[in-house]
Structures are given as structure tokens and as C-alpha cells.
């Protein structure tokens, strides 16, 4: 069995010239999801942390994530 690498290339000639939207399920979402799982496990194991602690952590993590994405997108506005 031979592997034809010519068939595995991506043809971008039909894509629009403008910016593309990000693919859902990227590494940032995976990291956010892992942080939620880890914090939930810590809250379940700990005697001093509660669901309120988990909610506050995820709330501020979400705020920080959204602000960082906004700053990253705003810094690329003048590049084009």
C-alpha cells in the first residue's frame, strides 16, 4: 500500500481572500474546559472550598479570557 501525499494537500484556491473564522474546539477552549474540570475536582476533594468558590473561579477565568481575546483581536485591527 502506498501513500499518495498529493491527495493530502489542502487546496485553498476556493477560499475567500479575507480572514477566516476560528475553528470551533480550538486549544483555548480545551484549556478552559480542563481548568473547569480540575477546579471541580479540587472543590470535590477539598473541605474548605465550596461550589461558590468554583463559580467565582470560573467567573473570573471567563472574564479574563474574554478580555484577553478582545485585546488580542484589537491589536490586529491595524495590521490589515
Amino acid at each position: 500500500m502506498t501513500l499518495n501525499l498529493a491527495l493530502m494537500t489542502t487546496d485553498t484556491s476556493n477560499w475567500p481572500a479575507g480572514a477566516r473564522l476560528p475553528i470551533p474546539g480550538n486549544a483555548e477552549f480545551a484549556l478552559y474546559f480542563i481548568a473547569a474540570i480540575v477546579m471541580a475536582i479540587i472543590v470535590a476533594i477539598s473541605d474548605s472550598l465550596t461550589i461558590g468558590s468554583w463559580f467565582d473561579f470560573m467567573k473570573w477565568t471567563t472574564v479574563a479570557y474574554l478580555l484577553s481575546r478582545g485585546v488580542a483581536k484589537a491589536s490586529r485591527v491595524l495590521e490589515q
Side-chain angles (χ1 to χ4, degrees):
M1 180 176 182
T2 60
L3 182 61
N4 188 353
L5 295 177
L7 296 176
M8 297 177 70
T9 60
T10 303
D11 181 21
T12 60
S13 62
N14 291 331
W15 287 0
R20 293 181 296 151
L21 294 174
I23 299 171
N26 57 14
E28 293 170 343
F29 179 73
L31 183 61
Y32 183 80
F33 184 73
I34 290 170
I37 298 291
V38 168
M39 186 60 187
I41 291 170
I42 290 171
V43 167
I45 293 172
S46 174
D47 292 332
S48 62
L49 295 175
T50 63
I51 281 295
S53 303
W54 181 84
F55 181 76
D56 283 342
F57 172 78
M58 291 311 298
K59 174 179 58 177
W60 292 114
T61 302
T62 303
V63 168
Y65 172 74
L66 292 175
L67 285 174
S68 71
R69 294 307 307 148
V71 168
K73 287 180 188 268
S75 67
R76 289 186 295 206
V77 169
L78 297 177
E79 289 180 3
Q80 296 179 4

